[in-house]
Amino acid sequence: MMDQEKKLCPFINFMAFISKKWVLVIINSISSGCKSYTDIEKNLTWVNPRILSSRLKEMQEKGLIEKKIISQTPLKAIYCLTEKWEGLSCHINELAKWVTKNLEN
């Protein structure tokens, strides 16, 4: 039983993270290409800006996205999915399509 628990631990930790409020929605927003904070915020108007900033920072720390500085003056940055996680976005897009097809009234 102990070996199986060790194998599940990374999966459980990952699922706990991506199930945090707005993480999947942010991934879906960025999956079509790198976006500035302002662009993400405009697409996700119902997300509190403080929560959005917090989630973006957490996603950077987990290696899910990277923040690229594109201009120093004025400071401009974009958020992009890391290469490692781009494969995840196609599954999230498929999930979003499934939800739209099967769960919308």
Side-chain angles (χ1 to χ4, degrees):
M1 186 71 140
M2 187 69 129
D3 288 335
Q4 189 165 355
E5 287 176 11
K6 286 182 182 178
K7 289 179 185 176
L8 286 177
C9 189
F11 177 76
I12 291 169
N13 289 337
F14 174 74
M15 293 305 291
F17 176 71
I18 66 165
S19 65
K20 281 184 155 185
K21 196 170 188 177
W22 307 123
V23 169
L24 289 173
V25 176
I26 294 168
I27 293 170
N28 194 43
S29 175
I30 298 173
S31 69
S32 62
C34 300
K35 294 197 173 45
S36 68
Y37 176 88
T38 304
D39 289 337
I40 297 168
E41 188 178 36
K42 283 178 187 174
N43 288 338
L44 309 176
T45 56
W46 58 90
V47 179
N48 180 300
R50 191 177 68 218
I51 297 292
L52 178 59
S53 293
S54 175
R55 290 295 181 262
L56 288 169
K57 185 176 180 177
E58 288 176 291
M59 293 168 74
Q60 282 179 267
E61 290 169 358
K62 297 271 187 199
L64 192 63
I65 63 172
E66 60 185 332
K67 182 178 180 179
K68 297 179 181 180
I69 306 300
I70 57 173
S71 172
Q72 291 292 336
T73 309
L75 183 63
K76 290 184 183 179
I78 54 174
Y79 293 90
C80 307
L81 289 176
T82 59
E83 188 176 329
K84 180 178 179 181
W85 295 102
E86 283 178 355
L88 176 64
S89 69
C90 68
H91 299 291
I92 293 169
N93 290 336
E94 287 302 313
L95 179 61
K97 288 178 190 175
W98 183 88
V99 168
T100 300
K101 180 181 177 184
N102 294 291
L103 299 180
E104 286 193 348
N105 294 337

